[in-house]
Amino acid sequence: CRKAAEARTPGQPGTTDRGNPFVCRAADTVLRLFEERHILEHVRIMGTYLWERLEEFAGNHECVVGHRGKGLIQGLEFDRPVGDIVSKALLDQRLVLISAGANVIRFVPPLVVTQDHVDLMLEKLEASL
């Protein structure tokens, strides 16, 4: 990054949304942390865990008619609109989920999600139904 910073001179084009020394340093730090903390492997493990738990949930609820997604981006399709579930019931339980269309609840947890988080989320979803 120091080399990149020294290569720039006053008056050269540069903005906050393009590759400048600060942005390059931030990206480098994020990528280093991903590597050090094995984030990608964690995401693979948690994506599988989330899939299995949502499959189990779907199998226990006739109102769930589909399950799709990959990794940590997944959705459950319901046989009815999910707006009230998402906007009222889940928020009352301090769980923020979003809909994808009228009848799909989308699950997009943070990359650092744990099995305990997934389990708690499903308990809250269960209570909301």
Side-chain angles (χ1 to χ4, degrees), residues 4-5 12 14 17 21 26-27 30 36 42 44 50 61 77 100 102 105 112 127:
Q12 285 185 316
D17 65 337
V30 168
E36 288 173 4
H42 176 75
R44 282 195 260 304
L50 178 62
H61 295 86
E77 182 180 359
I105 295 179
V112 294

Side-chain angles (χ1 to χ4, degrees), residues 21-35:
F22 176 76
V23 170
C24 290
R25 180 61 175 232
D28 182 59
T29 300
V30 168
L31 294 173
R32 181 177 47 78
L33 289 172
F34 265 53
E35 202 169 273

Side-chain angles (χ1 to χ4, degrees), residues 57 61-66 68 74-92 95-107 124-125 128-129:
F57 186 89
H61 295 86
E62 290 183 14
C63 61
V64 179
V65 297
R68 58 183 176 252
Q74 298 183 38
L76 288 180
E77 182 180 359
F78 288 76
D79 65 359
R80 63 193 69 154
V82 297
D84 287 342
I85 298 170
V86 171
S87 66
K88 179 74 174 109
L90 290 174
L91 288 178
D92 285 348
L95 178 63
V96 178
L97 293 175
I98 56 176
S99 61
N103 64 336
V104 175
I105 295 179
R106 185 183 307 174
F107 303 87
K124 291 182 176 195
L125 180 58
S128 297
L129 295 181

Side-chain angles (χ1 to χ4, degrees), residues 4-23:
E6 291 170 357
R8 296 186 46 84
T9 59
Q12 285 185 316
T15 65
T16 57
D17 65 337
R18 289 180 176 68
N20 60 56
F22 176 76
V23 170

Side-chain angles (χ1 to χ4, degrees), residues 40-56 67 70-74 113 115 118:
L40 294 179
E41 181 60 24
H42 176 75
V43 166
R44 282 195 260 304
I45 291 166
M46 290 310 304
T48 299
Y49 184 76
L50 178 62
W51 182 269
E52 291 168 354
R53 295 289 284 129
L54 288 175
E55 280 290 300
E56 179 184 334
H67 176 205
K70 186 173 183 179
L72 287 178
I73 302 175
Q74 298 183 38
V113 68
Q115 289 183 355
V118 172

